[in-house]
Amino acid sequence: MEKSQLPSDEGGPGLTESYSATALVSRDGAEPAGEAGQGEERPTWDSKLQYVLAQVGFSVGLGNVWRFPYLCHQNGGGAFLLLYVVLLMGVGVPLFFMELAAGQSIRQGSIGVWKHISPRLAGIGYSSCMVCFFVALYYNVIIAWALFYFGNSFQYPLPWQKCPVEPGGNLTVKECAASSPTSFFWFRKALDISDSLEQSGQLNPVITGCLLAAWTLVSLAMIKGIKSSAKVMYFSSIFPYAVLVCFLIRGLMLDGATEGIIYMFYPKLQIWREVQVWRQAATQVFFALGLGYGSVIAYSSYNPVHNNCHRDAIMVSAINFMTSVLASLVIFMVLGFRAKNVALECVAENVATMVGMSTPDSQHRFPSFNTSEPRSILLHKYREWYSQYGSLLGSNFTDCDLEREMIKGVEGTGLAFIAFTEAMSLFPASPFWSALFFLMLLNLGMSTMFGTMQGILTPLMDNFKLLGRHKTIFTVCVCMLGFFLGLIFTQRSGNYFVTMFDDYSATLPLIIVVVFETVSVAWIYGADRFLDDVEVMLNWRPPVVYKYMWKYVCVLAMLSLLTASLLRMVFRWPSYTAWNHTTGAETSLEYPGWALVMLCLLIVTACLPVPAMYLYSLITHRWGRAGEQGGVAEQPTAYSKCNSAESSSHRCLVDEDGTLSQSTFLPQGVDQYRLLPQQEDGEEDDTEV
């Protein structure tokens, strides 16, 4: 069936005066955006395995190790897992497939893909680049922290295993005594953190050096494009799985592993009634797959046109989910071991205190306890006893609740650099396990960082040929800029800025970017038309359910997530968690006024390219039309796809060199077109956005 001249086949608005693929139309015979001017062949992956490892390495990052286990633990365990799978299949996989197909068909970065649909949509790609740059700034600082801990793991005993003593005395440092050895090492030795965001302080020289090393590694890996970064992927993507399996086997032999697994997977279905849980699950799906960054599009743009991107979308999503589950198993087995050790120490201290009280009835209060070996007392036996006699004891005695210990320090950096680190210090041969763990974090961070950098470099080099011709210099300059701007995160208050960027520089802008992406494909270009192009690429048509997922389910889900995130910002005053060195504990503080301004600037700066590029294209279009007044404008030529009967006739349009014209997502030779009757001036439909 022939396609209409300009409006999309969905009945939505078309885009005029652009060399776009919105309708299969060529207005003036120019090449489509993203194809013209390409003077060299685009590089490709050496193998399918190389590509899959790159996509998996980008999507599987540090969030799988500390963010997903925390959300699973806080939001109902098994109930959250089920909710996550539903949202992954209903929203994550369709959007992931859409980005893979768009990048593979157009073979351009994020800027070129959306500019190919219409120059007015180029701002989507620029926003993706901006968000990628913001994320790269603070993400590499986390890699620098892992590098610092990795270097300190080659000591025995580990430096965070015991509290240091005051110089010239035998007293324990007060800050460490009030907290714990691992907390003290993290906040004081690693970060040398200030008490608030407003107390900036000088740069931390050790972390600054680690940040320089991290950016140097990224620069060396990216300097030759995908050919160099892909080779690194063979190690950086596979090594974390080997480490996770080692920790899984070791964790199964730990006392307390069973309690940790039960605590993680115990379903609390009533949690589904809370909107916050749905928001967090959707956000985790969103970030786990790397949607909106442009990195997925960039990686898929180096694929052959007929690669089965539908299978890739399902495979990478499944690997990502299974990795999150595997990491959660490891984390909670180790945390269960840590919590049980703390609980048993609590029992031992309480029993020893009770025995030392020398009260006449102290023995009969422990009828089944071996008070000579307090650590041999079973935890559940102690808790049964405490439930009966606890009210008769003073406030110095506690119930030694294992679940309460499981809750402590399980979010974000606290999970990796405090809780998990403390547990590993209890292992035999603890330096070996510590070095292995932080080497795994380095590889997870680096593989994600490579994808993030591709989301910056590929679109800009595709869109600006001068940058593409000087790839090495451009890559080094971007990394140098990232290092110097990243110095804000290496000062004493740097950890607070990392939290600020993590919470506000990516979430809202990325959601907005993905909303525009989905609307552009499903409504402006047309979901049916997009499926037509995918059918030609795959040689089979994907299920029609994707059409309705893109048009309705995904758009509504993303708009709901955007609304929930905005409402949360409005009704919950932005705050951050600060470290109080006097009390040796964390406390919640509100952001000062200047920090709120900075938050708004981060969000606006990341979103600004979308309306800015639309207005720029609109203004230049108006000026162009005004310049044609008074002269004779060349009558545009419109074409429509030929059917199978016409494709063998001379009615199909060919260029002077005998090749077929191209004005669709797909490469040359895929479709053929015929000349449409010309309309008189004034009869052309208004098909602007």
Side-chain angles (χ1 to χ4, degrees):
M1 185 177 69
E2 294 182 4
K3 291 181 169 59
S4 58
Q5 183 174 348
L6 278 176
S8 73
D9 56 347
E10 307 298 332
L15 297 170
T16 67
E17 302 299 331
S18 66
Y19 310 133
S20 77
T22 306
L24 299 178
V25 174
S26 174
R27 277 296 197 174
D28 57 4
E31 288 181 278
E35 298 291 340
Q38 281 189 325
E40 59 182 29
E41 184 180 354
R42 189 173 187 81
T44 58
W45 301 102
D46 291 337
S47 66
K48 182 62 175 288
L49 176 62
Q50 195 178 74
Y51 163 69
V52 171
L53 289 178
Q55 286 286 18
V56 169
F58 169 67
S59 63
V60 175
L62 298 174
N64 297 76
V65 175
W66 60 47
R67 181 65 178 169
F68 184 88
Y70 166 75
L71 292 176
C72 185
H73 161 261
Q74 292 293 103
N75 297 313
F80 179 82
L81 283 176
L82 182 59
L83 177 60
Y84 182 86
V85 171
V86 170
L87 293 175
L88 179 67
M89 299 304 297
V91 179
V93 172
L95 291 176
F96 193 60
F97 174 43
M98 182 189 74
E99 290 199 357
L100 288 179
Q104 181 174 304
S105 61
I106 301 177
R107 296 178 65 77
Q108 289 282 293
S110 56
I111 296 175
V113 164
W114 308 115
K115 190 175 181 180
H116 188 73
I117 294 180
S118 170
R120 298 179 187 178
L121 300 177
I124 300 175
Y126 285 104
S127 284
S128 294
C129 290
M130 188 69 69
V131 173
C132 274
F133 187 66
F134 285 159
V135 171
L137 289 179
Y138 75 83
Y139 205 88
N140 227 16
V141 177
I142 301 175
I143 296 176
W145 294 341
L147 193 61
F148 172 77
Y149 267 79
F150 176 71
N152 279 276
S153 296
F154 297 95
Q155 303 179 40
Y156 187 80
L158 291 170
W160 52 81
Q161 198 162 343
K162 294 181 180 179
C163 282
V165 295
E166 296 283 0
N170 295 324
L171 297 176
T172 302
V173 175
K174 293 182 179 180
E175 185 178 359
C176 184
S179 54
S180 68
T182 50
S183 296
F184 176 80
F185 187 87
W186 165 241
F187 288 111
R188 187 56 51 213
K189 294 297 183 180
L191 302 180
D192 192 21
I193 198 168
S194 60
D195 285 351
S196 70
L197 183 65
E198 297 177 283
Q199 301 174 8
S200 297
Q202 68 278 7
L203 296 179
N204 185 328
V206 178
I207 299 299
T208 301
C210 292
L211 180 63
L212 178 61
W215 274 111
T216 302
L217 290 174
V218 172
S219 178
L220 293 174
M222 301 298 302
I223 206 165
K224 295 297 183 181
I226 64 166
K227 293 298 183 183
S228 57
S229 63
K231 291 180 174 63
V232 181
M233 286 292 180
Y234 282 112
F235 178 78
S236 62
S237 296
I238 296 176
F239 178 76
Y241 289 96
V243 176
L244 285 175
V245 171
C246 290
F247 270 101
L248 180 66
I249 297 172
R250 183 67 182 89
L252 290 172
M253 296 183 288
L254 296 174
D255 183 25
T258 303
E259 287 85 347
I261 294 174
I262 293 174
Y263 186 82
M264 171 187 168
F265 286 106
Y266 183 77
K268 302 174 184 176
L269 295 177
Q270 65 273 15
I271 207 79
W272 281 26
R273 294 195 296 263
E274 300 181 12
V275 177
Q276 178 75 356
V277 177
W278 288 79
R279 185 191 69 82
Q280 290 183 340
T283 304
Q284 180 61 22
V285 169
F286 184 79
F287 285 106
L289 296 177
L291 300 174
Y293 284 92
S295 304
V296 173
I297 294 176
Y299 275 156
S300 63
S301 70
Y302 299 111
N303 270 333
V305 175
H306 294 291
N307 173 65
N308 191 340
C309 55
H310 181 262
R311 181 178 58 197
D312 295 342
I314 296 176
M315 178 174 58
V316 173
S317 301
I319 293 175
N320 186 291
F321 172 69
M322 296 307 298
T323 304
S324 297
V325 174
L326 175 61
S328 298
L329 283 172
V330 171
I331 292 294
F332 276 89
M333 283 190 298
V334 175
L335 290 181
F337 165 71
R338 166 185 171 270
K340 193 163 186 178
N341 268 274
V342 173
L344 289 176
E345 286 183 4
C346 171
V347 171
E349 291 176 3
N350 286 350
V351 172
T353 302
M354 177 62 70
V355 172
M357 290 174 64
S358 300
T359 57
D361 57 347
S362 61
Q363 280 299 319
H364 82 268
R365 292 186 181 179
F366 303 93
S368 60
F369 293 171
N370 182 5
T371 54
S372 62
E373 296 183 11
R375 286 192 66 89
S376 66
I377 300 174
L378 296 177
L379 185 60
H380 72 278
K381 291 289 186 181
Y382 171 82
R383 297 205 64 194
E384 289 176 2
W385 169 84
Y386 185 85
S387 65
Q388 297 179 17
Y389 298 99
S391 59
L392 303 177
L393 303 174
S395 58
N396 293 332
F397 294 86
T398 63
D399 60 348
C400 302
D401 187 8
L402 187 146
E403 183 173 340
R404 185 170 58 247
E405 295 299 329
M406 288 288 298
I407 296 175
K408 294 180 180 178
V410 295
E411 181 180 10
T413 54
L415 174 60
F417 295 106
I418 299 177
F420 202 88
T421 303
E422 180 181 339
M424 286 189 299
S425 65
L426 303 175
F427 286 10
S430 54
F432 168 77
W433 293 103
S434 178
L436 203 61
F437 175 72
F438 288 109
L439 185 59
M440 179 191 72
L441 291 188
L442 280 172
N443 281 273
L444 285 173
M446 279 295 177
S447 59
T448 301
M449 192 66 187
F450 296 155
T452 304
M453 292 298 294
Q454 285 290 353
I456 302 170
L457 302 175
T458 298
L460 293 176
M461 289 190 294
D462 285 343
N463 200 59
F464 301 100
K465 300 306 174 184
L466 179 63
L467 300 179
R469 288 194 294 267
H470 301 85
K471 183 182 302 182
T472 300
I473 297 176
F474 177 55
T475 302
V476 172
C477 289
V478 170
C479 291
M480 289 178 61
L481 178 63
F483 167 72
F484 286 113
L485 293 179
L487 292 178
I488 189 177
F489 305 111
T490 65
Q491 56 184 337
R492 294 187 62 198
S493 59
N495 186 47
Y496 306 138
F497 283 100
V498 170
T499 302
M500 178 192 298
F501 272 67
D502 188 33
D503 290 342
Y504 298 100
S505 71
T507 305
L508 283 179
L510 280 180
I511 296 173
I512 294 173
V513 165
V514 176
V515 169
F516 276 106
E517 287 183 358
T518 311
V519 170
S520 300
V521 169
W523 291 95
I524 296 178
Y525 184 77
D528 283 327
R529 184 171 301 176
F530 188 68
L531 285 175
D532 289 342
D533 294 338
V534 174
E535 180 181 6
V536 176
M537 283 199 303
L538 303 182
N539 295 319
W540 60 274
R541 190 175 184 85
V544 71
V545 68
Y546 281 110
K547 169 184 174 180
Y548 300 102
M549 289 290 186
W550 292 329
K551 290 187 65 175
Y552 305 110
V553 177
C554 293
V555 173
L556 291 176
M558 298 310 299
L559 289 176
S560 300
L561 179 58
L562 178 61
T563 303
S565 300
L566 288 172
L567 290 176
R568 182 173 179 269
M569 290 183 61
V570 171
F571 292 107
R572 182 179 176 182
W573 190 265
S575 62
Y576 65 99
T577 302
W579 176 256
N580 189 318
H581 78 281
T582 304
T583 61
E586 292 180 312
T587 182
S588 181
L589 299 178
E590 293 183 350
Y591 281 109
W594 62 267
L596 294 177
V597 174
M598 187 174 180
L599 293 180
C600 295
L601 287 176
L602 286 174
I603 297 173
V604 172
T605 303
C607 298
L608 189 61
V610 176
M613 291 303 298
Y614 182 87
L615 291 176
Y616 173 78
S617 179
L618 187 65
I619 292 173
T620 54
H621 166 60
R622 297 299 182 191
W623 285 351
R625 293 187 65 176
E628 293 178 357
Q629 293 180 358
V632 179
E634 182 180 354
Q635 179 67 32
T637 305
Y639 308 99
S640 179
K641 185 187 288 187
C642 296
N643 57 36
S644 57
E646 293 171 325
S647 61
S648 59
S649 68
H650 294 288
R651 286 180 291 173
C652 288
L653 178 69
V654 294
D655 294 330
E656 293 180 359
D657 59 358
T659 61
L660 296 169
S661 294
Q662 178 195 8
S663 56
T664 178
F665 265 30
L666 300 175
Q668 293 183 2
V670 175
D671 292 319
Q672 299 178 359
Y673 302 87
R674 66 179 175 81
L675 187 66
L676 288 176
Q678 299 296 324
Q679 293 177 317
E680 299 294 334
D681 292 340
E683 293 183 1
E684 184 175 353
D685 295 334
D686 183 10
T687 55
E688 298 178 8
V689 174

